[in-house]
Amino acid sequence: MLMIGKTIAIYGGSFDPPHIGHELIVHEVLSVLNDIDQFIVVPTYLNPFKSDSFLDSTVRYSLVQQLFKDVAKVAVSDFEIKQERKVFTLDTVNFLKQQYDAKKIYLIIGSDNAQTFHLWHEYEQLKSIVELVVITRKNYAVDGISINVDVDVSSTQLRQELNLDLIPKKIQNEVKKIWNKE
């Protein structure tokens, strides 16, 4: 059977730093949504809603690459990093849609982002292109596809506590070196 276009999932974020929740989300989405041909993780250069980041964008990109290098169907995109500026999700989606000849696009977002999705740049156009998949915590209800992930960790909390137990083992040594320099 000839397949025209792929089904892709796009999971963007600061990954500042990447943690076990990010890793769990990727694996959980891949196990639930069987039609995904390519899962693309997109570290931001700088989140459009933030003024700075804890780790440099190239460091975050490298950590995310290390974290997912051996995971089937997962690619890490440097599209936003290469722009060296804040990039709107719509721009990234349009770029990846063309790059992967995507016929269907899942956009993976957290429930916190789902609540403020109406504030995103050209969110109505974005919503017409993608199918939102909302990652929920503690059975938070949403419209559309939701996947519950049983981990309650945030990068903000992680930076405040510097808790290496919340960093995936694949990148713990690298993060430890970075934190020791801070």
Side-chain angles (χ1 to χ4, degrees), residues 93-123:
V93 167
N94 284 327
F95 172 79
L96 294 173
K97 179 179 181 180
Q98 182 178 356
Q99 183 179 15
Y100 286 93
D101 187 29
K103 70 175 184 336
K104 181 176 184 180
I105 304 170
Y106 292 114
L107 181 62
I108 315 302
I109 65 173
S111 56
D112 54 337
N113 285 317
Q115 293 174 350
T116 60
F117 189 71
H118 65 283
L119 300 175
W120 289 27
H121 176 75
E122 297 189 34
Y123 78 96

Side-chain angles (χ1 to χ4, degrees), residues 42-53:
V42 186
T44 62
Y45 177 76
L46 184 60
N47 182 316
F49 293 106
K50 296 181 181 176
S51 59
D52 63 359
S53 58

